[in-house]
Amino acid sequence: MVGCAYNESLGRNQFLIVDDSALIQQSNAAWAETLKSQKVSTNAAQNERVRRVGGRIVQAAGLAGRHWDYAVFDDASPNAFVLPSGQIGVTTGLLKLVQNDDQLAAVLGHEVGHVVARHAAERYSTQSTTGLVLGAVQSRAGDYSQAVGAVGGLGAQLGVLLPFSRNHELEADRLGVDYLAAAGFRPSESIALWQVMAQQRQSGTPEFASTHPSDQTRIAALQQYIASRGWN
């Protein structure tokens, strides 16, 4: 089941135990369920905007060879997602929050970055393997198995899974900036976007216990990366 693959876009090896066909099948099912369970906006201008901006990002990421579906969901929460099977969903809340197409491109570039980086497959592989290891440890712990499971699970989550997820987010940020720059959008607007998001966010979760980097960490990393590429 174990596999190690080199991802050229990331410049590193990845631990993968799930193939793309299984992931695409699950993604297609998730998209079909989302279309059924969520209200899809019929606003022609909003849908065209997402298709136009999303299409440029997809092209820049080298993924234009596959079919892509786009949808705007009538939801006040600012959110967007891109599925490995080729679907892009954006909420009306996000369209209201972003101040221009460059910022929308920053969001979609980030989400497409997750797809190119195969983060979904990598995260699944890491979580599955961690669960198997903890199960083996518990089987040797006798009466203490419940305590080992609780402490071990927390340790694995804080020491492996959550930091790994934060690393995924920062990788997707960098790839997203690459794509929006290649698509003709302004990289600096990705920084402006996260500054806007920081103003909206009210979470008090410390970074060490969060699956996402803090807004300050993310903004600082983007500023450094954009400067290193000589972009503005």
Side-chain angles (χ1 to χ4, degrees):
M1 294 177 62
V2 177
C4 188
Y6 181 77
N7 189 311
E8 187 174 351
S9 296
L10 298 178
R12 66 173 176 84
N13 289 322
Q14 293 182 292
F15 172 69
L16 303 171
I17 62 172
V18 60
D19 61 21
D20 290 337
S21 60
L23 205 60
I24 288 174
Q25 184 178 6
Q26 293 178 13
S27 296
N28 279 326
W31 178 253
E33 179 60 30
T34 303
L35 292 177
K36 289 180 182 178
S37 62
Q38 303 298 319
K39 183 179 179 181
V40 179
S41 172
T42 58
N43 186 299
Q46 290 180 337
N47 279 276
E48 173 56 28
R49 182 186 184 191
V50 171
R51 281 192 295 269
R52 174 171 46 80
V53 175
R56 289 171 61 180
I57 292 297
V58 165
Q59 179 74 33
L63 300 178
R66 68 176 74 173
H67 174 76
W68 286 86
D69 292 317
Y70 302 85
V72 175
F73 295 96
D74 193 2
D75 187 334
S77 300
N79 202 3
F81 61 88
V82 176
L83 298 178
S85 46
Q87 296 93 4
I88 292 178
V90 177
T91 65
T92 53
L94 179 67
L95 293 178
K96 183 178 180 180
L97 179 68
V98 296
Q99 300 171 335
N100 48 52
D101 284 353
D102 303 89
Q103 292 183 11
L104 176 60
V107 176
L108 297 184
H110 170 92
E111 296 301 327
V112 168
H114 280 307
V115 173
V116 173
R118 302 186 70 188
H119 282 157
E122 190 172 24
R123 188 168 302 178
Y124 172 85
S125 301
T126 303
Q127 290 174 333
S128 298
T129 305
T130 301
L132 290 173
V133 172
L134 288 177
V137 172
Q138 281 183 264
S139 69
R140 296 171 177 268
D143 294 338
Y144 297 99
S145 61
Q146 186 173 359
V148 170
V151 176
L154 180 62
Q157 187 180 50
L158 296 182
V160 179
L161 301 184
L162 295 187
F164 205 63
S165 296
R166 291 197 297 271
N167 184 52
H168 281 178
E169 290 299 316
L170 294 176
E171 285 181 336
D173 280 349
R174 291 192 295 271
L175 289 175
V177 170
D178 289 341
Y179 302 149
L180 72 92
F185 295 103
R186 294 173 292 172
S188 60
E189 284 301 305
S190 63
I191 297 172
L193 166 73
W194 290 110
Q195 289 171 337
V196 171
M197 294 291 282
Q199 294 172 0
Q200 296 288 322
R201 209 182 309 277
Q202 308 230 337
S203 172
T205 303
E207 182 176 356
F208 74 87
S210 170
T211 57
H212 287 60
S214 70
D215 295 313
Q216 293 75 19
T217 297
R218 173 169 260 152
I219 290 169
L222 280 170
Q223 289 173 328
Q224 182 177 9
Y225 182 67
I226 290 172
S228 73
R229 299 299 300 268
W231 293 330
N232 53 42

